[in-house]
Amino acid sequence: MMRMGESNYAMIALGNAWRCMIYGGENLSLVNQSLRDRTKTITKHSKYAGEIAALDTILVEELIGVPSSSRSHFDMNVLQAEAESAKNARLLFRIHFFNVMISYWRGDFADAEESSNVVSMMGPFSKLPTIHLVYYTFFRGLGMHHTSSLCYSALGHSTFYF
């Protein structure tokens, strides 16, 4: 039998396992099904883990192209409004970080850059580098390269090299 608090850690561990699957290249359709099946249960045991699982669900559904009519009931705008009203800086950081990836995936480089700037102003929330920092740096670099290429071509140059 679990004592008080242990179920919270179990839910966080499950969320971390999903994140490793997402970032590690696992079949996203399988991850999505697992997220959809278990996110409500996770939220019942841990509000924090439930919020992160909801963000993971939004990200995976966006990456695999789930039609809006078939998507889960999670809404990033609602999560962001709740995080802002609760002054939950960690959740706001994750929301903007995920928005960098989603915006880049959609081809909206201006929005990706805007979210990237918000993330960079928020600062780190851990003393050690996290997997989020690696992906944030990667997507920020891609977005900046695209923006620079557009500026370079607007000046009349046909090729952009680093």
Side-chain angles (χ1 to χ4, degrees):
M1 181 165 161
M2 285 190 169
R3 292 191 310 253
M4 183 64 122
E6 291 178 356
S7 61
N8 186 44
Y9 290 122
M11 299 304 119
I12 292 170
L14 181 57
N16 287 336
W18 279 325
R19 222 146 302 105
C20 288
M21 287 187 274
I22 293 167
Y23 296 139
E26 186 66 42
N27 182 329
L28 292 179
S29 295
L30 297 175
V31 175
N32 185 48
Q33 189 58 47
S34 180
L35 280 163
R36 291 180 76 143
D37 291 345
R38 293 176 181 86
T39 300
K40 287 182 185 179
T41 303
I42 286 176
T43 303
K44 184 172 75 174
H45 292 288
S46 171
K47 183 176 179 357
Y48 170 76
E51 291 167 341
I52 303 307
L55 279 175
D56 288 340
T57 303
I58 292 167
L59 174 66
V60 169
E61 287 179 344
E62 185 68 39
L63 293 176
I64 62 176
V66 174
S68 57
S69 61
S70 301
R71 291 197 178 193
S72 62
H73 63 280
F74 302 115
D75 183 354
M76 192 166 323
N77 295 326
V78 171
L79 284 172
Q80 184 172 348
E82 289 174 2
E84 287 171 353
S85 69
K87 295 182 176 36
N88 186 341
R90 284 183 185 259
L91 184 58
L92 283 170
F93 174 84
R94 286 181 189 252
I95 288 168
H96 290 292
F97 163 71
F98 278 35
N99 198 44
V100 170
M101 290 192 292
I102 290 170
S103 295
Y104 185 83
W105 186 254
R106 289 179 180 163
D108 187 352
F109 303 110
D111 189 48
E113 179 66 22
E114 184 179 319
S115 293
S116 177
N117 290 334
V118 172
V119 170
S120 65
M121 288 187 294
M122 293 181 89
F125 286 99
S126 94
K127 295 180 193 247
L128 297 172
T130 65
I131 191 69
H132 293 110
L133 179 62
V134 172
Y135 278 88
Y136 163 74
T137 303
F138 175 74
F139 280 99
R140 181 173 171 91
L142 288 176
M144 291 176 82
H145 173 72
H146 179 76
T147 303
S148 299
S149 294
L150 290 176
C151 292
Y152 196 73
S153 62
L155 293 172
H157 302 286
S158 59
T159 311
F160 177 75
Y161 297 104
F162 282 107

